[in-house]
Amino acid sequence: MGRVVSVQANYYQVQLEPGSGAGSNDIAPAGEAAQLLCTRRARLKKIGQHVMVGDRVRIEEPDWSGGRGAIAEVLPRHTSLDRPPIANVNQILLVFALAEPSLEPYQLSRFLVKAESTGIDVCLCLSKSDLISPEQQQQWQTRLEGWGYPSLLLSTCTGEGLNQLQTALSQRITVVCGPSGVGKSSLINRLIPNAQLRVGQISGKLSRGRHTTRHVQLLEMPGGGLVADTPGFNQPDLTCTPTDLGTHFPEIQQRLSACQFNNCFHRDEPNCAVRGDWERYQHYLYFLAALQQPLLQHEAKIESNVKLKSKHAGQSRYEPKLAPKKYRQISRRQQQQSLQDLFRDGS
């Protein structure tokens, strides 16, 4: 038995569990490497079973001298994320920089909604705290507490907050997410000295970070626990439905008991208790419009392809429209006109 810690092409690096093995021949000999480079059995490919970083797997026919093996089974997942693709995570560490690049509230709000939609615990950290004043640090923490998120100040230069973060990550599988350039790789290098992740510089023109992490990999913490370093991205997709969007805003959940409407979108409904003067309300309205637009376009497309037709006894039903001109019978006048044109061209 083992856990997939990295995936590249069709090869999977598997960290073996201590003393794992179904039989004496499967147990790793003393002194052998604790990791195997594995492929996926053809039968898993046939049934469409994908293997993700974080999966617990069963390995067959290990080659201890060559450090190779074959994944024969993927155990059921407790959780799974599509972006980044990783399984069995029980904590999301969302990292945003306070400066270089500066923190954008709308971008942070979008990341928080995406993280909340997974149903996994969220831990919010503010990196590069040494680049702003203590007064500005307090202002940001107070502001985010109003959103419903306590935050932890971090600095890889001064070491601020690293001990508290190490405690929060202990004995858990944590995925580190956030925009490019906020210091995710630098933070992991401080927590795990032998990680030696590549660190990029901030773009001078765009004031954004450059992508340095290319794939997902799990790294072991010195005090226990696993941390997943992931590629940075600046705008996560919103995959929830318009009805579920409000459940991902702590501010809405605090006001929801006073709302008198069922299935309320908290937008145009009169006397809605959720509507009001709270900071992220405009973010909510923008996300709601973005989620509803594809649904409206889909409904308009369906309506353009059907027509309402009256039947007997005043009943009516929708029927598909025929393609224009495809099934229309050519009139006799048009046929005669075509024959006259044909004879005229022949003469």
Side-chain angles (χ1 to χ4, degrees):
M1 302 300 299
R3 188 179 299 276
V4 179
V5 294
S6 67
V7 177
Q8 289 189 2
N10 295 321
Y11 293 93
Y12 310 89
Q13 196 74 31
V14 179
Q15 177 78 36
L16 300 180
E17 297 178 358
S20 64
S24 58
N25 295 332
D26 294 331
I27 301 177
E32 292 293 340
Q35 291 190 359
L36 292 178
L37 184 63
C38 299
T39 56
R40 179 179 53 162
R41 286 294 194 197
R43 63 174 177 268
L44 294 182
K45 185 176 181 180
K46 288 181 179 179
I47 64 175
Q49 175 66 67
H50 296 282
V51 182
M52 302 170 63
V53 172
D55 274 330
R56 290 189 69 238
V57 296
R58 182 173 61 84
I59 300 172
E60 289 182 344
E61 301 177 3
D63 177 12
W64 302 115
S65 59
R68 301 288 182 128
I71 296 176
E73 181 184 0
V74 178
L75 273 66
R77 298 165 180 155
H78 303 295
T79 60
S80 63
L81 302 177
D82 56 346
R83 188 182 183 192
I86 188 169
N88 298 319
V89 171
N90 44 40
Q91 183 172 235
I92 295 176
L93 178 64
L94 187 56
V95 181
F96 263 72
L98 291 169
E100 298 182 8
S102 59
L103 197 157
E104 298 179 3
Y106 170 80
Q107 186 185 39
L108 174 58
S109 186
R110 192 179 183 99
F111 268 88
L112 287 171
V113 170
K114 176 65 175 179
E116 290 284 358
S117 67
T118 64
I120 302 173
D121 294 341
V122 180
C123 177
L124 177 59
C125 293
L126 305 177
S127 64
K128 305 183 182 181
S129 61
D130 57 296
L131 299 181
I132 64 174
S133 65
E135 291 77 13
Q136 291 173 313
Q137 296 176 12
Q138 184 60 45
Q139 289 174 1
W140 271 113
Q141 284 191 305
T142 303
R143 184 177 180 179
L144 295 177
E145 284 178 2
W147 293 13
Y149 294 96
S151 56
L152 177 62
L153 296 174
L154 297 175
S155 173
T156 56
C157 295
T158 64
E160 179 185 8
L162 293 182
N163 290 335
Q164 297 102 303
L165 181 59
Q166 217 159 14
T167 302
L169 302 183
S170 178
Q171 308 303 322
R172 308 192 76 179
I173 301 178
T174 305
V175 58
V176 184
C177 298
S180 302
V182 298
K184 299 187 296 296
S185 298
S186 299
L187 178 61
I188 293 176
N189 284 338
R190 284 296 302 267
L191 296 172
I192 309 173
N194 61 350
Q196 297 180 352
L197 299 179
R198 190 163 64 93
V199 178
Q201 301 295 325
I202 301 298
S203 169
K205 292 183 179 180
L206 302 176
S207 297
R208 291 182 179 177
R210 296 185 174 93
H211 299 289
T212 56
T213 303
R214 302 298 180 184
H215 61 278
V216 183
Q217 59 177 332
L218 277 176
L219 303 169
E220 189 171 5
M221 295 276 294
L226 296 170
V227 175
D229 185 30
T230 64
F233 49 94
N234 294 317
Q235 185 163 316
D237 299 328
L238 297 180
T239 55
C240 61
T241 64
T243 306
D244 294 335
L245 178 63
T247 63
H248 307 321
F249 281 80
E251 306 97 310
I252 292 181
Q253 295 305 301
Q254 293 172 4
R255 298 168 169 82
L256 198 59
S257 59
C259 185
Q260 58 181 331
F261 302 103
N262 293 326
N263 300 325
C264 182
F265 284 119
H266 320 298
R267 182 183 54 192
D268 302 322
E269 296 82 356
N271 301 322
C272 175
V274 173
R275 294 170 55 190
D277 187 17
W278 48 282
E279 183 180 358
R280 288 206 299 164
Y281 182 59
Q282 294 301 321
H283 296 176
Y284 167 77
L285 292 179
Y286 186 87
F287 297 153
L288 181 63
L291 291 172
Q292 287 180 330
Q293 184 177 5
L295 296 178
L296 294 175
Q297 292 176 348
H298 180 66
E299 291 176 0
K301 184 178 180 181
I302 292 177
E303 290 179 359
S304 65
N305 293 330
V306 297
K307 61 181 179 181
L308 185 63
K309 196 167 184 179
S310 299
K311 295 294 183 180
H312 299 290
Q315 297 180 351
S316 60
R317 68 178 182 182
Y318 285 97
E319 293 185 356
K321 291 182 180 179
L322 299 179
K325 298 184 179 179
K326 186 175 181 180
Y327 300 100
R328 187 179 300 172
Q329 186 176 1
I330 301 176
S331 65
R332 185 173 301 175
R333 180 178 178 182
Q334 187 176 357
Q335 292 177 354
Q336 292 176 353
Q337 185 67 37
S338 299
L339 290 174
Q340 291 176 4
D341 293 340
L342 181 62
F343 291 140
R344 190 180 300 111
D345 293 340
S347 60

